[in-house]
Amino acid sequence: FFQKTLTAVKNWFTLFGWSKGQNPVSIPHSLRRDVCKVQKTSSQEKVFKQDLGKDTKTVYDMLLHLSGQLVPGVTANQSLPRDPVERMLQLHYQHSSLLAFLKSQGAYLPHVMPEFLLEPDDYKKWIKVQTALKVDVKSSDRFSDNDLFILEDSVFETMSKRAWTDVLLQVYKVFVLAHVSSHKISDPFSLGSMQSMPRIKSEPLSSNIYSSYERTILTWLNKHYEKNRKTVWKNCKKGEVPPMRWIVNFDQDLLDSLVLAAQLAAYCPYLIATHFVRMYTKPRTPEQFLHNSLILVSAMHAVSLAIDIKV
């Protein structure tokens, strides 16, 4: 499940996270590596000699594109000190500023520490510096044994991959999903056939699982499924019109592909005759679920949706 999530995040940010077209993202490697654009001039003797080039895009370019804001304390053309320890400390400061900025926008990242976003070698330098600091102040009892997370190489790599994935998920939540507005959606329950269906409440505290934006999407899914199910499958070749349902989650309720097909049919009705009439409206076996998934993917490819979807 985590690998599928990571792949989806990588694909979305590669395609849509940048201001000038696609930019390949690898998690965590390119995000850790491309953190600063170094401007080389004769006067910059103390600048670290890594030249990423003018066209290199950093995570800060991504945030500027998605949010319209710069991370406080981090300039657009940030330079790195040449000294390895000073360089590591500046990167740690930048990552701290990044996390603080995202949290101020509503991101939930209490489990992500700045050092988890560093390169492995920089993480080792961070541990070394902190261990030395701990020894220096040991007599003051400022530190406890649990203050420092010392991870093995393989564990750190897993932790770093998870941390960067969660950072990107929260970036998507606060800067992309937050643009979804319930004010732009007409009342889906105005349809006579939906009067008896319980509403999905949009109040912030009405769910401890989904945000108000995610519940807006669930409302949208309910609207189009109920509005289109009788139209899309009135001439279905593999069953009858699918029954009414209440869509309350993004996993179990979407497994049979019928809900997603109804959404696509709302905007591309010409796909009904060529694709959706061949779907099972009451799938029961794994083969029937796979059949429906293949038809949905084929329909998406037919309208050139720029998303790398695989069954």
Side-chain angles (χ1 to χ4, degrees), residues 130-150:
Q130 295 304 304
T131 302
L133 180 62
K134 182 176 180 180
V135 171
D136 289 343
V137 297
K138 186 176 181 180
S139 59
S140 65
D141 294 327
R142 270 184 59 190
F143 289 91
S144 68
D145 292 338
N146 297 323
D147 284 327
L148 199 58
F149 287 93
I150 302 178

Side-chain angles (χ1 to χ4, degrees), residues 9 12-13 62-63 66-67 101-111 164-181 204 207-215 217 250:
V9 169
W12 191 94
F13 279 92
M62 176 207 300
L63 288 174
L66 295 176
S67 70
F101 171 68
L102 293 176
K103 291 175 184 178
S104 72
Q105 302 298 314
Y108 186 74
L109 294 164
H111 59 295
W164 275 109
T165 302
D166 288 346
V167 165
L168 292 184
L169 284 170
Q170 291 299 307
V171 167
Y172 182 85
K173 183 186 80 171
V174 299
F175 295 130
V176 180
L177 194 57
H179 291 167
V180 178
S181 173
S207 173
N208 63 350
I209 300 176
Y210 294 129
S211 69
S212 59
Y213 308 113
E214 291 167 316
R215 295 197 298 278
I217 294 177
F250 295 102

Side-chain angles (χ1 to χ4, degrees), residues 7-25 57 62 65-66 304-309:
T7 301
V9 169
K10 180 181 68 174
N11 289 342
W12 191 94
F13 279 92
T14 292
L15 292 168
F16 309 115
W18 313 92
S19 59
K20 297 180 180 178
Q22 300 180 16
N23 182 54
V25 171
K57 298 177 181 179
M62 176 207 300
H65 170 61
L66 295 176
S304 300
L305 282 177
I307 303 175
D308 183 19
I309 298 179

